[in-house]
C-alpha cells in the first residue's frame, strides 16, 4: 500500500514525520477501498487491483485486494488492514464489503455483516440499531460510490454490507461491549490514516514541535488531540501550521515541557470526553489508561445547577457525549464546566509558569461545546 505523505517543515505534519513511525490505514479507509472495488466490479465485471481511493485530506493510497467474489448481483472485496507501526488490535484483519445494487432512489444503505457491531445504547454518533460504521467512513463510501456510478453508468443506489473476519472476537479487546456496540467492531476513522502510537516517540515529537514554534517566534501554540480539534484551533485563533502541536493523548507531556520552555499562551483543544479526563486530573488521555468518570461529570453538573435527577442520569450515561447531551437539554453548560476544570488542572501542572491557558472542548462534529480562559 502507498504511504501517507507528510507536508511542511513545521507544525503537525512535520511533528508526525519526526516520530519515525510508519502510518497505516483505518478500517474506514479499508472498507471504502473494498466498496469502491466491489461496486466497480458490479458495473464493469472487472475488479480494479490495486484499488485507489481519495482520503479526506487528499491522500490517494492504493490497496491490494485480498479477496474478491462476483456472483448473483453482488460483489464482495476483502482488504487486509495495515495499521503501520501502530499496535492496533485490528492490524491484519480482513475488512470486507459486499455491495448489492438496489432499486433507483434507494440511496446508499449500510448493513452490519459478521464481525461488525450494532449500536444498542444512546450517546454515540449513530442511532440505536444502526451498524457501527461511523459517520466519516459512511461519507467516504457514499462519495466513492457516487464517483464509480458517474464513471461507469450506475445509479449509485446500493446496499453496502461491511464485515470483519473474526471481528466479534477482536472486539472483546476494545471498549465496544461497554459502550453498547455489540456483535463486533466499529468501522472508524476521521482521516483514513492511522497515526502510529509510541509513548517515547510521540512525547519527543511534542517537544520538538514546541521547539520549532519557539524558534519561529510563536508566542501562542495549541495542543490538539486530533485533526478535527486542530481545525477548530485554527478557526478560532488563526494559528499558523508551526504553532500546532499534535498532543494526541499526552496532555501532560505538553504541559510539562511548556512549563520548562514557556510561551505566552497555550490553547488546549480536544474532544469533550478526552478533556473531561484532563478535568478529572488525568494527564494521559488514552482509553487504556484513563476513562471518562461519569460520577465526576455528575458532580460538575451539580455545581452548574443540575438537580439530583439530572445528576443521576449523567452518572449513568453511556458515554461522555451522552452526559453532555443530557445536560444541554436541561440548560446546564457541562462543556464549559469541563473546560474550566481542565484549565485548573493545566494551570496546576504549569506551576506558575508565565503561560496564559485557554481550553476549547468540541464534539465529534467539531462544534465548540465548552470554553474556558
Amino acid at each position: 500500500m502507498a504511504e501517507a505523505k507528510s507536508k511542511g517543515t513545521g507544525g503537525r505534519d512535520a511533528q508526525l514525520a519526526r516520530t519515525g513511525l510508519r502510518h497505516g490505514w483505518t478500517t474506514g479507509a479499508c472498507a471504502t477501498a473494498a466498496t469502491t472495488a466491489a461496486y466497480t466490479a458490479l458495473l464493469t465485471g472487472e475488479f480494479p487491483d490495486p484499488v485507489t481511493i481519495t482520503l479526506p485530506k487528499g491522500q490517494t493510497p492504493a490497496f491490494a485486494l485480498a479477496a474478491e467474489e462476483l456472483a448473483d448481483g453482488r460483489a464482495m472485496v476483502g482488504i487486509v488492514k495495515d495499521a503501520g507501526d501502530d499496535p492496533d488490535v485490528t492490524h491484519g484483519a480482513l475488512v470486507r464489503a459486499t455491495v448489492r445494487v438496489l432499486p433507483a432512489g434507494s440511496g446508499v444503505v449500510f448493513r452490519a455483516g459478521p464481525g461488525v457491531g450494532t449500536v444498542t445504547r444512546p450517546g454515540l454518533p449513530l442511532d440505536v440499531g444502526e451498524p457501527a460504521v461511523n459517520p466519516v467512513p459512511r461519507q467516504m463510501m457514499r462519495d466513492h460510490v457516487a464517483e464509480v456510478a458517474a464513471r461507469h453508468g450506475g445509479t449509485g443506489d446500493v446496499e453496502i454490507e461491511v464485515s470483519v473476519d473474526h471481528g466479534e472476537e477482536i472486539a472483546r479487546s476494545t471498549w465496544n461491549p461497554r459502550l453498547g456496540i455489540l456483535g463486533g467492531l466499529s468501522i472508524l476513522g476521521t482521516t483514513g490514516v492511522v497515526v502510529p502510537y509510541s509513548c517515547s516517540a510521540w512525547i519527543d515529537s511534542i517537544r520538538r514541535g514546541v521547539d520549532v514554534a519557539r524558534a519561529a517566534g510563536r508566542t501562542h501554540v495549541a495542543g490538539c488531540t486530533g485533526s478535527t480539534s486542530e481545525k477548530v484551533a485554527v478557526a478560532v485563533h488563526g494559528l499558523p501550521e508551526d504553532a500546532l502541536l499534535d498532543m494526541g493523548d499526552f496532555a501532560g507531556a505538553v504541559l510539562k515541557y511548556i512549563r520548562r520552555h514557556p510561551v505566552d499562551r497555550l490553547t488546549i483543544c480536544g474532544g469533550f470526553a478526552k478533556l473531561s479526563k484532563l478535568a478529572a486530573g488525568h494527564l494521559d488521555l488514552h482509553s487504556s489508561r484513563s476513562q471518562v468518570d461519569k460520577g465526576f461529570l455528575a458532580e460538575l453538573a451539580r455545581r452548574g445547577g443540575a438537580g439530583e435527577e439530572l445528576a443521576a442520569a449523567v452518572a449513568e450515561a453511556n458515554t461522555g457525549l451522552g452526559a453532555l447531551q443530557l445536560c444541554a437539554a436541561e440548560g446546564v453548560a457541562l462543556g464549559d464546566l469541563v473546560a474550566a476544570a481542565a484549565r485548573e488542572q493545566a494551570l496546576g501542572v504549569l506551576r506558575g509558569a508565565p503561560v496564559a491557558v485557554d481550553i476549547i472542548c468540541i464534539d465529534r462534529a467539531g462544534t465548540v461545546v465548552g470554553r474556558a480562559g
Side-chain angles (χ1 to χ4, degrees):
M1 297 181 203
E3 185 62 49
K5 294 182 179 179
S6 180
K7 299 179 289 183
T9 58
R12 185 172 192 262
D13 287 326
Q15 183 190 341
L16 297 183
R18 279 195 287 277
T19 65
L21 300 174
R22 188 171 64 88
H23 291 72
W25 312 109
T26 62
T27 48
C30 294
T32 299
T35 296
T36 302
Y39 190 37
T40 300
L42 268 181
L43 296 181
T44 68
E46 299 291 336
F47 290 93
D49 189 7
V51 59
T52 299
I53 62 171
T54 302
L55 300 180
K57 285 195 164 186
Q59 302 100 319
T60 54
F63 297 79
L65 276 55
E68 59 184 59
E69 182 180 321
L70 178 61
D72 301 325
R74 66 178 181 86
M76 182 280 295
V77 167
I79 303 284
V80 175
K81 176 177 173 177
D82 177 6
D85 288 328
D86 190 72
D88 191 314
V89 294
T90 58
H91 177 69
L94 186 64
V95 180
R96 300 176 186 261
T98 300
V99 179
R100 300 174 180 87
V101 174
L102 296 177
S106 300
V108 177
V109 178
F110 294 94
R111 305 288 183 210
V116 170
T118 297
V119 177
T120 66
R121 297 180 192 168
L124 295 167
L126 297 167
D127 292 335
V128 171
E130 282 290 310
V133 180
N134 271 22
V136 172
R138 287 183 184 226
Q139 191 59 49
M140 288 169 60
M141 284 183 259
R142 289 191 191 100
D143 290 345
H144 283 77
V145 162
E147 290 173 9
V148 172
R151 189 179 307 123
H152 299 295
T155 66
D157 300 287
V158 296
E159 175 191 272
I160 304 171
E161 179 185 290
V162 184
S163 60
V164 180
D165 288 18
H166 311 294
E168 188 166 7
E169 178 182 347
I170 298 169
R172 297 190 189 111
S173 300
T174 73
W175 287 99
N176 275 17
R178 288 186 61 177
L179 295 174
I181 298 173
L182 303 183
L185 294 161
S186 301
I187 303 301
L188 301 171
T190 56
T191 65
V193 179
V194 173
V195 175
Y197 178 86
S198 162
C199 289
S200 59
W202 207 251
I203 289 171
D204 182 67
S205 77
I206 288 170
R207 293 168 177 167
R208 301 295 77 77
V210 173
D211 293 344
V212 166
R214 283 165 51 89
R218 304 303 177 196
T219 59
H220 182 184
V221 300
C224 305
T225 57
S227 59
T228 301
S229 54
E230 178 185 286
K231 291 176 184 176
V232 172
V234 170
V236 171
H237 291 302
L239 294 172
E241 182 186 45
D242 58 6
L244 302 173
L245 309 172
D246 192 351
M247 178 177 76
D249 295 309
F250 300 111
V254 169
L255 291 165
K256 291 172 185 176
Y257 197 70
I258 286 180
R259 182 176 69 207
R260 299 192 299 272
H261 306 275
V263 292
D264 291 349
R265 185 174 181 183
L266 168 66
T267 296
I268 294 178
C269 184
F272 170 82
K274 281 191 183 292
L275 293 192
S276 78
K277 298 179 188 181
L278 175 59
H282 297 287
L283 299 182
D284 185 337
L285 311 182
H286 193 270
S287 60
S288 67
R289 289 177 294 280
S290 61
Q291 288 78 50
V292 175
D293 185 343
K294 268 103 58 163
F296 170 73
L297 292 180
E299 180 55 35
L300 284 183
R302 287 188 187 95
R303 296 179 202 171
E308 282 307 311
E309 184 177 349
L310 175 57
V314 168
E316 295 298 320
N318 186 34
T319 63
L321 176 61
L324 180 67
Q325 291 170 338
L326 287 169
C327 287
E330 298 295 328
V332 175
L334 186 59
D336 289 337
L337 294 163
V338 163
R343 182 174 181 271
E344 288 304 311
Q345 293 290 345
L347 290 172
V349 176
L350 287 169
R351 297 179 188 172
V355 180
V357 177
D358 70 288
I359 305 289
I360 303 174
C361 295
I362 63 172
D363 64 13
R364 292 175 184 268
T367 301
V368 176
V369 297
R371 294 185 69 172

